[in-house]
């Protein structure tokens, strides 16, 4: 049954960080209601039975900070989200009751996930989408070995954070990634983004063979893709596992639908295992898309994110914690500026 | 053995706090008012705990707001002699 009111939790209690138990579900739902009211976009977290079901089937692996009496004062999780590859989990859903914000609950949950939970779940990788209106989440992810990869520009509406009084512009998100079990493979690098991909894929976590993608798109292949309209965020997210000769028409169709639904952000994750990914990227670039960066293991194989914003993003509002994240922002902003030149607009 | 504020700031630099931020820190002003955040605080507390071999319970750690607080607490907890 959906939670529709807050059950008060006494401040100052001791707590223990632990993996999810079914008896925690009501406390988790209460926690989400206490922080977000009825406005959190994922209904699952208001319904204890759904929290249990999703944890049972492995779509969510919750970690909680639990008081001796069973109250839940903080939550974090790894969970299956937008990535098509089921053994790539997202890390997030961190929330802490206001009375416990000066405790170390979030930090301890973060450490528990990295040191204990991943051994039980055994994901190939974790990715996070850390908000860029402050650096706390980015730093928390870096603490557990996650590396900066890509930037989703102006992804989330400010209303998402209104209750927290942080938001003004749409909030960008830094994609961070940690590999646990790499899958060495060949990726076909769009010439326009070789520098960006080499920068992000550098390091001991990845074994990749980078080939220039120069092949033409085969005329006899149809695109294989899935699209999700994330209405709460105004985001249309499309995973293009394979792009064929129909890809330009598909982009146009999704853009039309997005416009009709007043979506603010279009995202396409393109599979870099396609030998013709370079030509596909060129189509996106001609249509005003710019790169967000390299996203490992999105399809099991790696991806590149191409994105477009209906409203000019405010890059000045993006707050980043590290030099590598700043470099990624420079890449992304520079590519966005290119799209403005195509529009005949001089970027600020 | 007693420690000073410099011992604490040296630890901060080893756990990834921006050295420029650390060098500008005042000893008696809460760290969260000087550019550190809710992730930095537990990281520092755990590093101090490990460095000096003291038991920094959560209840104690959350009371440590300034560098001076850390120095006083560690000196009180460390074995004398």
């Amino acid at each position: 049954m959906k939670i529709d009111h807050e059950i008060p939790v006494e401040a100052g209690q001791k707590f223990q960080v632990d993996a999810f138990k079914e008896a925690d579900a009501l406390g988790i739902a209460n926690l989400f209601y206490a922080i977000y009211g009825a406005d959190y976009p994922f209904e699952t977290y208001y319904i204890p039975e759904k929290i249990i079901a999703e944890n049972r089937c492995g779509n969510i692996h919750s970690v909680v900070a639990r008081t001796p009496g069973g109250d839940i004062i903080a939550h974090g999780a790894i969970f299956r989200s937008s990535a098509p590859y089921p053994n790539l989990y997202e890390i997030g859903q961190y929330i802490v009751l206001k009375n416990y914000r000066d405790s170390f609950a979030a930090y301890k949950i973060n450490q528990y996930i990295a040191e204990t939970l991943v051994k039980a779940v055994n994901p190939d990788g974790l990715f996070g989408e850390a908000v860029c209106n402050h650096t706390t989440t980015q730093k928390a992810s870096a603490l557990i070995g996650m590396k900066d990869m890509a930037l989703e520009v102006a992804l989330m509406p400010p209303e998402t954070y209104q209750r927290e009084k942080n938001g003004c512009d749409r909030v960008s998100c830094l994609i961070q990634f940690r590999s646990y079990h790499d899958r060495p493979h060949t990726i076909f690098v769009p010439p326009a983004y070789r520098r960006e991909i080499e920068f992000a894929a550098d390091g001991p976590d990845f074994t990749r063979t980078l080939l220039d993608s120069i092949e033409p798109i085969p005329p006899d292949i149809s695109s294989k893709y899935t699209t999700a309209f994330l209405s709460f965020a105004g985001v249309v997210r499309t995973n293009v596992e394979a792009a064929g000769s129909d890809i330009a028409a598909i982009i146009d169709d999704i853009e039309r639908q997005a416009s009709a639904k007043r979506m603010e952000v279009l995202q396409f994750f393109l599979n870099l295992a396609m030998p013709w990914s370079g030509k596909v990227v060129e189509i996106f670039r001609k249509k005003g898309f710019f790169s967000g960066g390299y996203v490992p293991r999105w399809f099991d194989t790696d991806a590149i994110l191409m994105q477009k914003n209906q409203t000019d993003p405010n890059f000045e509002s993006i707050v980043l914690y590290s030099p590598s994240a700043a470099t990624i922002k420079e890449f992304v902003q520079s590519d966005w500026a290119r799209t403005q030149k195509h529009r005949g607009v001089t970027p600020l | 053995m007693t420690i000073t504020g410099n011992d604490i700031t040296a630890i901060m630099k080893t756990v990834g706090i921006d050295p420029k931020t650390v060098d500008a820190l005042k000893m008696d002003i809460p760290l969260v008012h000087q550019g550190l955040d809710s992730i930095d605080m537990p990281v520092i507390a755990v590093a101090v705990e490990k460095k000096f071999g003291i038991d920094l319970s959560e209840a104690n750690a959350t009371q440590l707001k300034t560098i001076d607080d850390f120095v006083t607490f560690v000196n009180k907890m460390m074995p004398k002699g």
Side-chain angles (χ1 to χ4, degrees):
Chain A
M1 193 168 66
K2 189 173 179 179
I3 291 289
D4 59 3
H5 65 283
E6 181 183 348
I7 304 164
V9 172
E10 185 186 341
Q13 300 182 70
K14 290 188 173 179
F15 60 82
Q16 181 184 17
V17 170
D18 192 13
F20 174 79
K21 295 187 169 98
E22 295 192 356
D24 298 328
L26 178 60
I28 293 172
N30 186 55
L31 175 62
F32 275 80
Y33 196 91
I35 300 300
Y36 290 103
D39 299 331
Y40 196 66
F42 299 104
E43 189 181 49
T44 293
Y45 289 95
Y46 291 120
I47 303 173
E49 295 81 2
K50 284 195 175 179
I51 294 171
I52 291 169
E54 291 292 288
N55 270 278
R56 273 186 189 163
C57 74
N59 284 336
I60 299 174
H61 296 275
S62 292
V63 173
V64 298
R66 185 190 306 120
T67 70
D71 291 329
I72 303 301
I73 61 97
H75 175 271
I78 65 172
F79 52 99
R80 295 192 176 113
S81 59
S82 296
Y85 182 47
N87 215 26
L88 174 63
Y89 283 80
E90 184 169 352
I91 184 169
Q93 312 291 19
Y94 285 94
I95 59 170
V96 183
L97 271 184
K98 282 186 179 167
N99 284 339
Y100 288 84
R101 293 273 166 92
D102 66 349
S103 77
F104 295 167
Y107 171 82
K108 288 181 173 175
I109 287 174
N110 205 34
Q111 297 302 111
Y112 186 95
I113 288 173
E115 293 167 7
T116 305
L117 185 69
V118 293
K119 289 177 186 160
V121 178
N122 204 25
D124 282 354
L126 294 181
F127 77 96
E129 295 175 297
V131 292
C132 296
N133 55 344
H134 58 75
T135 60
T136 306
T137 313
Q138 301 166 35
K139 288 165 71 174
S141 298
L143 268 183
I144 58 170
M146 299 185 76
K147 303 282 193 295
D148 308 327
M149 287 292 153
L151 188 63
E152 300 173 288
V153 175
L155 181 69
M156 296 299 291
E159 296 79 37
T160 311
Y161 309 102
Q162 208 164 43
R163 201 167 166 124
E164 299 293 307
K165 306 294 181 197
N166 283 331
C168 295
D169 295 302
R170 286 181 73 89
V171 176
S172 299
C173 289
L174 180 68
I175 295 181
Q176 295 168 294
F177 179 90
R178 176 163 177 184
S179 176
Y180 288 95
H181 307 289
D182 189 30
R183 177 190 171 200
H185 64 280
T186 296
I187 56 174
F188 294 89
V189 178
Y193 299 121
R194 173 168 273 276
R195 183 181 58 154
E196 286 84 343
I197 291 172
E198 284 180 341
F199 176 81
D202 188 33
D205 292 344
F206 305 109
T207 302
R208 298 288 183 273
T209 302
L210 272 55
L211 298 181
D212 283 329
S213 175
I214 52 174
E215 283 193 25
I217 299 173
D220 55 344
I221 288 182
S222 296
S223 299
K224 187 176 172 189
Y225 67 99
T226 55
T227 299
F229 289 83
L230 310 174
S231 300
F232 64 90
V235 174
V236 188
R237 184 171 273 171
T238 300
N239 291 319
V240 182
E241 189 176 344
S245 55
D246 54 354
I247 190 64
I250 288 167
I251 299 166
D252 290 343
D253 181 51
I254 291 172
E255 284 212 68
R256 271 194 298 273
Q257 292 185 58
S259 179
K261 294 176 192 262
R262 296 183 169 276
M263 297 284 125
E264 277 289 324
V265 180
L266 289 105
Q267 292 188 322
F268 286 78
F269 289 81
L270 308 178
N271 192 345
L272 288 174
M274 293 183 290
W276 49 91
S277 65
K279 298 298 183 203
V280 176
V281 158
E282 283 308 311
I283 292 172
F284 277 91
R285 283 164 61 89
K286 284 178 184 164
K287 291 180 180 294
F289 284 78
F290 61 102
S291 174
Y294 169 71
V295 187
R297 305 300 299 277
W298 192 255
F299 297 94
D300 189 8
T301 52
D302 304 336
I304 188 168
L305 167 63
M306 299 300 292
Q307 57 193 337
K308 184 191 266 190
N309 300 82
Q310 298 303 336
T311 307
D312 286 350
N314 178 8
F315 283 92
E316 297 306 311
S317 70
I318 298 174
V319 184
L320 299 167
Y321 81 109
S322 72
S324 65
T327 299
I328 290 167
K329 180 190 164 192
E330 285 173 19
F331 289 150
V332 171
Q333 187 168 1
S334 168
D335 202 35
W336 173 79
R338 171 192 55 79
T339 68
Q340 300 305 292
K341 284 176 194 161
H342 283 189
R343 281 173 48 189
V345 175
T346 305
L348 295 174
Chain B
M1 176 192 163
T2 57
I3 70 158
T4 68
N6 288 340
D7 295 305
I8 301 297
T9 54
I11 289 172
M12 289 179 178
K13 289 178 182 175
T14 67
V15 294
I17 314 288
D18 179 12
K20 285 180 189 164
T21 301
V22 174
D23 288 340
L25 291 174
K26 302 274 191 297
M27 298 287 165
D28 58 348
I29 294 176
L31 294 165
V32 294
H33 296 165
Q34 300 187 76
L36 276 69
D37 61 32
S38 59
I39 289 297
D40 296 324
M41 295 305 287
V43 170
I44 295 166
V46 169
V48 167
E49 192 174 33
K50 285 181 181 166
K51 169 79 177 176
F52 299 113
I54 58 174
D55 183 14
L56 202 54
S57 72
E58 165 132 350
N60 285 328
T62 55
Q63 297 303 310
L64 304 179
K65 310 287 190 196
T66 68
I67 293 174
D68 282 345
D69 290 341
F70 275 98
V71 171
T72 303
F73 183 82
V74 172
N75 284 333
K76 192 171 85 177
M77 296 297 289
M78 285 222 297
K80 300 287 183 278

